[in-house]
Amino acid sequence: MELLRTPVEMRGWADARRREGRRIGFAPTMGCLHAGHLSLYGILRDRGCDEVTASIFVNPTQFGPGEDFEKYPRDEASDLSLLREAGVGAVYLPGVADMYPEGSQTVVDVTGVSKGLCGDRRPGHFQGVATVVAKLFNAVRPHVAVFGEKDFQQLAVIRRMARDLDFGIEIVGAPIFREDDGLAMSSRNRYLDGADRIAALCLSRGLFRAAGLFGAGERDPLALAAAVRSEVEGEPRATFEYAEARNPETLFPVTPPTGRVTLLVAARVGPARLIDNITLQEGGQQ
Ligand code: AMP
């Protein structure tokens, strides 16, 4: 497995592979890897990529003031061994100064789909995400890039950016990996101690409860979102942020009756800010 630490090194590696006609697949991460991350590399293989590449970069520009940039969990040695086992051929590990050299002043702002949901609670977050992903794309030059549906709004932002800026990269969404009890896997789950870890289940429990209602015929998006909300608000250790029903493609609010809807939820539990979502459609869950 090759480690590339600067944009020039990474780009050199990618250009050489492209000249050999190799199809490059890419899934960026902030490290502290779990099975959800590792599933992304299997998807790239299944999609016929000859080169499966990863990046590990905790991107300062997507964290707001007072957020967890400094204490975000980092474990490079363990991440690299997991990526090696997952068959990843190259890992891009840029430093902050390589990504944002002094004098850097260009950003990518995806205006519409970055608004609402997490965009309203984390001002500047999606601008930081879009900017860093554009830079990663320019260094890794993938043909295909995969992003988890766990970060549903982020996936929509990246799809929009790739289309609007003519990156010519196929963007693929990957299903959410969950712990056996339903909690969506996340690097931030490491912040949860015993009681908070149990309390954190209120997000997935709310989504599954809404899925049950949908299965029983409920088609009012407000009623579905309210079911998620009441589950989170019923958990004393959780601070509710939002529960909303959106169109899975546009992320616009949906009007009833709806045959296909994504429910998105965010809440704070102890020191962790958690998000989760589920897409429901007639004829079964997606
Ligand atoms: P992160 O390291 O949190 O920036 O995540 C890197 C990539 O892994 C993103 O595309 C995430 O959406 C994806 N990811 C994170 N958690 C999960 C999960 N539980 N299931 C599937 N993909 C995930």
Side-chain angles (χ1 to χ4, degrees):
M1 190 170 75
E2 291 193 54
L3 306 186
L4 296 314
R5 294 199 179 266
T6 66
V8 171
E9 267 179 48
M10 185 67 238
R11 178 75 180 237
W13 183 93
D15 285 344
R17 296 305 176 286
R18 278 187 163 248
R19 278 195 296 275
E20 293 163 7
R22 311 279 283 169
R23 181 173 163 82
I24 302 176
F26 177 48
T29 80
M30 297 206 298
C32 191
L33 302 181
H34 50 66
H37 290 117
L38 300 174
S39 73
L40 309 178
Y41 303 104
I43 290 172
L44 289 169
R45 286 235 172 279
D46 293 345
R47 293 212 158 226
C49 295
D50 311 301
E51 302 287 351
V52 174
T53 61
S55 63
I56 301 175
F57 181 62
V58 184
N59 174 36
T61 67
Q62 70 189 70
F63 290 80
E67 290 190 354
D68 56 345
F69 173 67
E70 272 82 22
K71 69 173 176 117
Y72 194 85
R74 292 162 170 89
D75 194 346
E76 189 176 301
S78 148
D79 288 346
L80 292 178
S81 82
L82 289 168
L83 291 173
R84 201 172 285 118
E85 276 169 42
V88 167
V91 187
Y92 183 31
L93 298 149
V96 173
D98 297 309
M99 285 302 262
Y100 300 109
E102 228 181 285
S104 150
Q105 45 187 282
T106 305
V107 294
V108 178
D109 197 7
V110 180
T111 54
V113 79
S114 296
K115 302 269 186 323
L117 304 168
C118 288
D120 285 358
R121 275 82 185 178
R122 303 185 70 188
H125 170 67
F126 288 118
Q127 187 185 87
V129 169
T131 303
V132 81
V133 172
K135 290 169 69 66
L136 293 169
F137 281 175
N138 283 333
V140 179
R141 303 206 58 219
H143 297 86
V144 186
V146 58
F147 291 83
E149 288 173 357
K150 155 80 170 28
D151 302 281
F152 201 86
Q153 190 175 14
Q154 167 174 282
L155 171 60
V157 167
I158 303 299
R159 279 193 202 284
R160 192 72 254 168
M161 176 189 80
R163 207 173 306 149
D164 291 351
L165 296 184
D166 306 315
F167 271 100
I169 298 169
E170 184 190 351
I171 307 296
V172 176
I176 301 177
F177 258 57
R178 298 182 179 280
E179 304 290 352
D180 289 342
D181 60 7
L183 182 68
M185 289 185 188
S186 164
S187 308
R188 289 191 169 96
N189 292 351
R190 292 207 184 180
Y191 299 153
L192 300 170
D193 70 12
D196 286 338
R197 173 66 182 75
I198 294 166
L201 290 172
C202 64
L203 283 84
S204 55
R205 205 166 54 233
L207 294 172
F208 298 152
R209 189 174 141 201
L213 294 174
F214 187 89
E218 179 61 80
R219 291 292 179 273
D220 177 1
L222 293 179
L224 294 167
V228 182
R229 179 179 186 142
S230 77
E231 200 67 47
V232 175
E233 288 189 330
E235 169 49 64
R237 300 183 81 87
T239 309
F240 172 82
E241 276 197 13
Y242 67 76
E244 295 202 28
R246 297 293 180 102
N247 176 307
E249 274 73 45
T250 61
L251 278 189
F252 291 153
V254 276
T255 43
T258 178
R260 188 165 146 78
V261 61
T262 300
L263 302 173
L264 303 105
V265 61
R268 253 171 212 293
V269 179
R273 181 180 183 277
L274 303 175
I275 56 172
D276 200 350
N277 67 83
I278 198 166
T279 297
L280 305 171
Q281 62 188 2
E282 288 182 2
Q285 221 167 281
Q286 197 194 17

